[in-house]
Amino acid sequence: MSLRQKIIVLFLAIVLVPLNLLGMITYSYFSKTLEGQTYHYTVQVIDQLNQNVNAFIDEMHRLSLLPLYDREILTILKNRTEDSYSYYPQTEELERMSSFLSTLSYNRKELSGVHIIARDGSLFSDLGSPRTVHRFSDESSFWHQNIQQGEGASLLVPAHEPAYMVGNEKTVFSVGRLLRDPDGFRPLGMIKVDIEMSYIESLLTDVDLSEEASITMVDRHGQLIYETGKAITPILKKVDKEGQPLVERERVTADGVNYLPVLRQSSGEVQTIVLLPENEIVGASQSLRIVTIGLMVAVSAVILLLARVAERSLTKPIFELRQMMERAEKGEFQHRMTPSSKDELGQLALSYNHMMEQINELIAKVYQTEIREKDAEIKALQTQMNPHFIYNTLEHINMIAITKHEYELSDMVASLGRLIRYSIDQKTRFVPLRDELLFVKAYIAIQEKRLEGKVTFDISIPEKMLTLFIPKLILQPLLENAIVHGHQHGEIKGRIVVKGWQDHTFSYLEVRDQGQGMKQSMSIGTGNRVALTNIAERLALLLGEQAVLTIKSEEGIGMSVTITLPKT
């Protein structure tokens, strides 16, 4: 990680970590508080609802006793137990019963109907004959059997659809009681008070619960009285079957949705259960979460910007110094830094500038000294040996060889003369590729005689490349390296190829041998590859970074050395 990244990360860690922790703690506390408030409000709603419903049911229990205090009603019910009595109720019986039942249901909109069923099946209702059947025959219904088994006690009947209603499929829950003769306790029939579901809905009108909340009322036996929203009954049956009762505020899942149950035990006959969707409970905290996240993002962006500004002010001089040092590593000592401040970084820039000035002075002194030494060496060599003397001597030897019919010796002497003449000539650093190839061919001619055909040579250079100017004496060292190291001075037979080609940007010269090669590529300048190092340095010095020496080698296959030159 760079210094710039470290500064930014440190700055963000110091500021953002506490900020994010504070935001998360605030959000968590608010969510918990909201959940608690929602729970307590729901508990108050349930308590009030239970109280109202149970009070109303108690009143209906008392209402179911009224037929036992009316002698005329009891007489009619007693007559309905006599087999010899008329099958259908008489008009005066219907009118008396209707009047009595209408009195019971008067001004009670929450009642769906008040009905008395005699022992012979005659059904009397405050609704009138068009809306109810005349005789009740469905004695197998669960509510009828429950009331019969109640032995005169007033019972709460769970939600059901009354079969004695004509053209009515609505659901009601009821209060029912078996009516007994006060004198002999003989069963006379039963009274059934049907209660509209709209009564409970009216109680829920002013309740401000979530629209997704599920409200269920059950009796002491868990039988359904009223239900709205998500059906809780299957959930209750499931937990009862598994032996794990529903626990208040302990999450339950139905159809992939999480709910929090709110249960309130009641001293009355009705218990209310509310399932609050977990996402609805924390719904009000969504806005806080969005605001918190938005604020954190905005603050993070500002802090990141400030960190960037602070980082640039601190690291810019350091990075400038690093760039200057990289240039100095490449030999560019003329660049200077401009101090941007008077602090320690500014003093560091001044120290760098002073160091570069001293280095330039030292380089100038050393360079001038080396030039003088080189000039002296060259002059000494030139004075030690006269090139014309060497050429004349070789020509004399050549003539003697020809005179004695030693033509191979003559060819080798002639080739050696061309090599010496080309090598000693110091007039220019660049020569046409054509001249370099003549020198190479002379060198090859000598080596072919010396190696006696063990190593063969092949030159493949396009005609259009012969006019290309290249640094002098760069191909012959590559051939010598291939013979000495690749073919062990001719001990390893094979072929050496000199090849050239061009593309749109570069010209390429390759010397490839079929010698022993190397296990892995090696850096130039190591071992005995000093000639390759010298060539690479000369190419970079004379032609710049675009001129490259590339080595590829594989053990047992050979090695190739490729020179890449800018196409000019």
Side-chain angles (χ1 to χ4, degrees), residues 97-124:
M97 277 290 189
S98 177
S99 175
F100 174 77
L101 295 176
S102 297
T103 302
L104 296 183
S105 64
Y106 176 73
N107 202 25
R108 295 181 183 273
K109 297 180 180 180
E110 62 272 13
L111 297 183
S112 177
V114 182
H115 318 282
I116 292 179
I117 304 173
R119 290 284 293 175
D120 65 350
S122 299
L123 187 142
F124 304 93

Side-chain angles (χ1 to χ4, degrees), residues 212-214 230 235 251-260 275-280:
E212 300 296 328
S214 299
K230 181 70 179 179
I235 300 177
R251 182 187 296 112
V252 294
T253 302
D255 297 336
V257 180
N258 293 329
Y259 294 90
L260 293 179
L275 290 188
L276 295 175
E278 196 173 42
N279 60 338
E280 289 291 332

